[in-house]
Amino acid sequence: MSLTHIFNAIKTQTEEEIKHIKESEEQEKQNIVKEAQIKADKIRKRSKADFEKKTQEKINKAQRSAELQTKNKILLGKKEILNDIFARAALKLAKQEDKLKLLYEKLIAEMPSDNSGEILASDSTALIIKKLTDKWTIKTELKEDGFKFISDEIEIDNTLSRLIDEVRDEAEIEAAKTLFGTFSFSFEF
């Protein structure tokens, strides 16, 4: 074999190897690009899913907040209505001398039997109590309707506001059921 043949054989073999290396390089390059695209797609999908999840969470939170605010406004409105009803009931009771007389008569019967002590009352209450008993000194020192019994050992608050507060919890539940159908006064802030 001549030098030219050897040189041409080496050249052909080298060219084939170069061609094979370039093809392998191109295939590897395509594989790398393909893997990068797959990874990028996964990242995009994950990012999109995370974004959608966070957006939905924000929407759900805003809806819950709006529902709670609405519920609280309704409950506050109901509470205002009940407060108004009880205030009107107290005013109405304060104007009904015959009912007050029965109430005060019962309350006086429950008072301590000894005569040590005095009654503090409003002007209108003092007039009613004077008709019911003369056991105690009655002073007109209260601004609100009802009376207080004060002695050295005990103080009894029988003002209308305190008496109404005492029965209010139970009466409020019944009034709410009557007015609003069901009763649910759980404030959520």
Side-chain angles (χ1 to χ4, degrees):
M1 269 187 115
S2 73
L3 197 53
T4 313
H5 271 332
I6 293 173
F7 181 68
N8 283 338
I10 291 173
K11 186 179 174 186
T12 306
Q13 190 177 8
T14 305
E15 285 175 355
E16 283 181 24
E17 283 182 27
I18 290 172
K19 183 180 174 188
H20 181 65
I21 289 172
K22 282 185 178 180
E23 286 174 356
S24 292
E25 239 179 52
E26 186 61 33
Q27 185 64 37
E28 202 172 315
K29 183 179 162 185
Q30 287 176 358
N31 288 343
I32 291 171
V33 169
K34 195 174 191 178
E35 283 180 35
Q37 285 175 339
I38 290 171
K39 285 181 182 178
D41 285 345
K42 285 181 181 178
I43 290 171
R44 272 194 294 274
K45 286 178 183 178
R46 197 174 327 123
S47 294
K48 183 179 177 185
D50 288 347
F51 175 76
E52 288 173 352
K53 181 181 176 185
K54 287 179 182 177
T55 302
Q56 190 60 45
E57 286 172 356
K58 286 179 182 180
I59 290 169
N60 291 343
K61 185 177 179 181
Q63 284 176 331
R64 283 190 307 271
S65 177
E67 287 170 1
L68 286 175
Q69 287 176 0
T70 302
K71 192 181 220 182
N72 285 336
K73 284 181 183 180
I74 291 169
L75 290 174
L76 288 172
K78 288 178 178 181
K79 187 75 172 164
E80 284 179 26
I81 291 169
L82 290 171
N83 287 342
D84 184 54
I85 288 170
F86 281 98
R88 287 180 187 208
L91 288 173
K92 188 175 179 179
L93 179 60
K95 292 177 184 177
Q96 296 179 356
E97 189 175 329
D98 56 329
K99 289 186 180 181
L100 285 176
K101 184 178 176 184
L102 291 172
L103 175 64
Y104 295 154
E105 195 170 35
K106 182 177 186 255
L107 293 171
I108 289 171
E110 294 173 359
M111 303 275 279
S113 58
D114 66 358
N115 288 346
S116 63
E118 62 185 10
I119 291 179
L120 305 179
S122 66
D123 290 335
S124 59
T125 303
L127 292 173
I128 297 170
I129 292 176
K130 284 178 184 177
K131 293 177 187 175
L132 298 173
T133 186
D134 59 355
K135 281 186 180 180
W136 300 283
T137 305
I138 300 171
K139 295 182 180 177
T140 55
E141 296 180 6
L142 290 182
K143 301 256 187 258
E144 63 180 312
D145 288 315
F147 65 93
K148 291 183 180 182
F149 175 78
I150 300 176
S151 71
D152 291 336
E153 298 91 34
I154 191 168
E155 182 175 324
I156 300 172
D157 184 354
N158 284 324
T159 56
L160 286 184
S161 62
R162 207 257 336 141
L163 294 170
I164 287 173
D165 282 345
E166 189 175 300
V167 296
R168 181 175 177 147
D169 288 340
E170 190 174 311
E172 193 172 74
I173 291 170
E174 291 305 314
K177 284 180 183 176
T178 302
L179 291 171
F180 310 119
T182 60
F183 183 74
S184 63
F185 263 140
S186 57
F187 287 88
E188 300 169 31
F189 293 100

